[in-house]
Structures are given as structure tokens and as C-alpha cells.
Amino acid sequence: MLLVTSSLCAGNKYSVFGVRFLKFQRSKRIHLALIKSLTVCSSSSTNNASFSSAIKLVDAQVLYCLAPALGHNQESHPECNSRLSAIANALDKMKLSSKYRGGDVLEITNWRPASFDEITSVHTTTYVNGLEKAMEKASQEGIVFIDGSGPTYATSTTFQESYVAAGAGITLIDSIVSFAKAKADIPVGFALVRPPGHHAIPKGPMGFCVFGNVAIAARHAQRVHGLKQVFIIDFDVYHGNGTNDAFYEDPDIFFLSTHQDGSYPGTGKIEEVGSGDGEGATLNLPLPGGSGDFTMRTVFDEVILPSAQRFKPDIILVSAGFDAHVLDPLAGLQFTTSTYYMLASSIQQLARDLCGGRCVFFLEGGYNLQSLSYSVADTFLAFLGEPSISSNFDDPAILYEEPLVRVREAIQRVKHMHSL
């Protein structure tokens, strides 16, 4: 599935990655770019002339990486490798993958795993070294469950594949920045990776998550590309407590989470707004069970939009969990496929308005394979500016009335607390 290069840029500690551009047809034009091993130094802040000239050949609107972590798997577990297989199959079935949409949608197939230094920009060295040592036990027993982390498991490949997942997000940050140097209308990135990351706290794994993929990418954006102000939106049904904790005292990373009130892991109260220099740069909005499409449209307009406008981000990162879908078995919100289409379209436009279009999504939860794969596909359609297919999948008959009085109370309370 992955072709990882091991070359090093001269005088540079960062590995390089290759990007393959395939032959494609778009709008009755044929472009051919045979760039089999185009390398871009991840730490370089200068323009790469060959890369810039190459990407001008294409009109990409979506860049994505697919890191399925095939060895990190337990079939009976909700967070298994069937999730990524279902997404890949849906993208092919709906002709939304690079195989069918090479002019609009590009899959980055070569990238490097994250480095130890990149992982430990968020996680403690004690945790990372301890997880590596645990691989021997996982190899002997086939699978182990990590104490104190919730139902988080590890296999003999978990450590390596978690490095790969984090590296995919870093690669997309690098790619989006490189595109921005060459063209005004830059693509959106989507890291379709597992294990997910937003529950992983600095000191350890938690809630199916091993390394904080979005948090690691945020630090990379700051340190390598000088994108100081990072705005993170997390619309997973569960609170992204790991991301929350990593940046709780950081004024330059604004973390905004919507999640189901009272759900795992019990964090993310409205009163949790950051501390020290980071006070006010964390916004948590727990939503009552039963909240759905109308709720999220209101939340975007009244909370997400004004928060981002005031923060003035240099890049927007998204923890995209699809487990708030009404069909998902693990929670109690009632988002539909059209909810995710709306969020993707709105966040993309927000990035265009505020930070030159720099935006990368990261897969988090989503455990009904049908609703997960259709929602990701509809997200791609939103990025492409094409009509939603949600009407082919959503069934309005299964929805019930949203608790709008309680929703309004929660929104008004968070708006008051953050002076929105």
C-alpha cells in the first residue's frame, strides 16, 4: 500500500517524499506529467522550482493520503482496518478516487513516516519509547490491550503504522504549502489514516488512538512552515481530549470541539477554555443527544465562523470524525451525510476566506461502514464543488426532532463565555 522513500535532502535531517502525478483527462484537455520521484524537503521554506512548475500542470482540488494500517487490526473491534477499505471502495465506486478523477483528485502514494522528533513534539519520550518496547509483547501474544487507555489495542505493527499515519498528515501539510506557493486556488488535503489520533494524550494512548495525528501536524505547520496561528476544528462525536490537552496553554493554537454531551471520555465541558497564556484559545461545545443537521448549521454560523474570523488562522486543520452520524452504533447524535457535506463545504470556504485555502482534514471516528464511506465520499464532492449524493443514502424517516431548546441554551452559553 505504501512506498516510502529513504533518501535524505543534503544537509537536512528530514526524509523526503515523492508525489506521483498520473495521466488524466479533464475538461477535454489531457495533461501528462511523469514525475515519478519528485522530492521536496519537508523543512525547506524556499520555493522548489521543479515542484512549482509540475503542479501548475494540474488543477487538483483534493489531495489525499490513504494509510489503512492493515496490520493494526482486530476484526471484532469497531476501529478495524475494514474502515479504510470501505472508504477506498466507496471512492472507487463513486469514481472519486485519483484512478477516475486524476485531474481533480490526487492521491499521494509515497511519503515518509513521521520522525521521532516530530512525534515527541506532542508526546513524551517515555510514552513513545514504552510503546516501541511493547511491540515485543504484541508480537508474542498477537494483540495486547493497553492498560488505562480505554479499549485501545496494539499489534506487532501498531508502532510502525502509527508513525506512517502521522507522516501522512505531515506530508499533506507540506504539499498544501507547496501548492500555495505556485497557485492561488489550492486543494484541500484529507489524511485518510488510522489509527486515529484525537484522544491520544501527550503521555499515552486513549480511546482507539495512538498518536495525535492532527496535533503533530499542527506543530509541524508551525515549526517548519512558520504557520503560527493554527485553528483546529473537531466535529467527532467524542471530545478530542488529547488535542485539547496538548494545546491547553498555547495561545497560538485554537482548538474548537463539538461533541455529544456526557459521552466518552467525559471531558470537554464548556468551562474548559484553556489556561495560562492559552486561556480563551480552547472552545468546547457539548451538544445534547439528538442534535443533528440544523444544530450543526447553527453552530457553524454562530460559533465556528466568528471564532475563526477573530483568531485569523494561518491554516485550518480538521479532526473529521463521522461517528456523529445517525446510523453510527456508538453514539447518540443524528448527523446525516448532508451534515458532513455542509461542514466540508463551509470549512473549505472558511479557509479560502481566512488563510489562502490552507486546510487539511484528518480521519478520526466513524464505525458504521456505510455511513462512514458515504460521508467521506460526500465530503470529497463538497471539496470538488459538486452536488451532494446524500439524498441517495439519507433516510429522513429515521430522524426525530432535535432538542433545539437545549441546543440554543448551549450555544448561547458558549457565545457568552467566549464573547462571540
Side-chain angles (χ1 to χ4, degrees):
M1 295 298 291
L2 302 176
L3 298 173
V4 182
T5 63
S6 59
S7 308
L8 294 180
C9 294
N12 197 302
K13 68 179 180 178
Y14 290 93
S15 301
V16 297
F17 59 88
V19 182
R20 292 181 178 176
F21 291 98
L22 306 178
K23 182 179 180 181
F24 62 88
Q25 182 174 359
R26 182 175 186 264
S27 302
K28 300 181 181 179
R29 305 192 310 270
I30 296 179
H31 300 290
L32 182 61
L34 297 175
I35 307 169
K36 293 186 176 180
S37 187
L38 177 63
T39 59
V40 179
C41 296
S42 302
S43 62
S44 173
S45 61
T46 61
N47 289 324
N48 183 296
S50 60
F51 184 78
S52 298
S53 62
I55 60 178
K56 287 178 181 178
L57 295 173
V58 299
D59 299 313
Q61 298 179 62
V62 182
L63 290 181
Y64 71 99
C65 293
L66 189 66
L70 296 178
H72 176 78
N73 185 56
Q74 186 187 27
E75 292 297 336
S76 61
H77 197 282
E79 208 296 287
C80 61
N81 62 22
S82 297
R83 299 177 64 230
L84 268 291
S85 298
I87 291 172
N89 290 338
L91 292 177
D92 277 344
K93 179 182 178 181
M94 299 175 201
K95 293 182 168 52
L96 290 170
S97 65
S98 59
K99 176 180 177 181
Y100 298 97
R101 298 291 295 266
D104 299 319
V105 181
L106 296 178
E107 179 183 5
I108 300 176
T109 56
N110 298 349
W111 71 88
R112 63 174 176 84
S115 69
F116 179 82
D117 287 346
E118 287 163 341
I119 299 295
T120 55
S121 70
V122 170
H123 297 285
T124 65
T125 57
T126 300
Y127 163 48
V128 178
N129 290 332
L131 181 64
E132 185 176 20
K133 292 178 181 178
M135 292 301 95
E136 182 178 350
K137 181 179 180 182
S139 296
Q140 294 172 350
E141 300 181 11
I143 191 167
V144 295
F145 285 86
I146 305 171
D147 293 339
S149 68
T152 308
Y153 65 86
T155 68
S156 61
T157 63
T158 294
F159 185 76
Q160 178 184 4
E161 289 179 316
S162 297
Y163 264 73
V164 170
I170 289 170
T171 295
L172 285 170
I173 297 291
D174 293 337
S175 301
I176 293 299
V177 171
S178 295
F179 265 81
K181 294 174 181 177
K183 55 187 293 188
D185 186 16
I186 68 174
V188 178
F190 204 144
L192 295 169
V193 301
R194 55 179 297 274
H198 73 147
H199 289 310
I201 59 176
K203 294 182 178 180
M206 190 172 178
F208 309 169
C209 300
V210 178
F211 293 145
N213 301 317
V214 72
I216 292 165
R219 283 291 184 232
H220 180 79
Q222 288 182 317
R223 295 179 177 183
V224 173
H225 297 293
L227 301 175
K228 181 181 179 182
Q229 300 281 102
V230 182
F231 192 82
I232 301 175
I233 302 168
D234 186 330
F235 55 70
D236 192 277
V237 77
Y238 302 113
H239 179 236
N241 61 297
T243 315
N244 183 102
D245 292 357
F247 305 127
Y248 205 61
E249 298 180 357
D250 191 331
D252 296 323
I253 295 184
F254 194 105
F255 175 67
L256 189 156
S257 175
T258 63
H259 45 274
Q260 184 176 345
D261 192 11
S263 62
Y264 178 89
T267 54
K269 307 299 184 185
I270 288 181
E271 296 81 9
E272 297 175 29
V273 298
S275 65
D277 291 340
E279 184 174 354
T282 296
L283 188 155
N284 285 299
L285 178 51
L287 300 171
S291 298
D293 183 70
F294 182 85
T295 295
M296 280 310 297
R297 290 175 186 271
T298 306
V299 167
F300 183 85
D301 291 340
E302 298 190 20
V303 179
I304 297 175
L305 176 62
S307 295
Q309 289 174 330
R310 184 170 63 188
F311 184 68
K312 297 180 175 60
D314 296 313
I315 189 170
I316 295 175
L317 307 182
V318 183
S319 275
F322 296 91
D323 41 8
H325 197 284
V326 64
L327 296 180
D328 198 274
L330 300 187
L333 297 186
Q334 53 172 342
F335 290 9
T336 63
T337 309
S338 63
T339 311
Y340 294 111
Y341 182 93
M342 178 275 298
L343 284 169
S345 179
S346 299
I347 292 171
Q348 180 187 39
Q349 187 58 52
L350 188 65
R352 287 172 174 170
D353 292 342
L354 299 180
C355 52
R358 289 186 291 267
C359 183
V360 180
F361 280 55
F362 295 75
L363 180 67
E364 299 288 359
Y367 307 103
N368 177 298
L369 298 185
Q370 270 200 316
S371 62
L372 169 64
S373 56
Y374 269 83
S375 297
V376 171
D378 224 33
T379 295
F380 271 49
L381 286 171
F383 293 155
L384 293 166
E386 298 179 7
S388 169
I389 57 167
S390 59
S391 60
N392 297 332
F393 182 71
D394 291 341
D395 180 6
I398 69 174
L399 303 176
Y400 50 94
E401 186 176 358
E402 296 183 44
L404 296 182
V405 173
R406 292 171 59 203
V407 166
R408 173 49 57 187
E409 290 174 351
I411 291 175
Q412 289 301 117
R413 188 177 170 200
V414 82
K415 287 175 66 175
H416 175 74
M417 186 161 291
H418 288 269
S419 301
L420 297 174

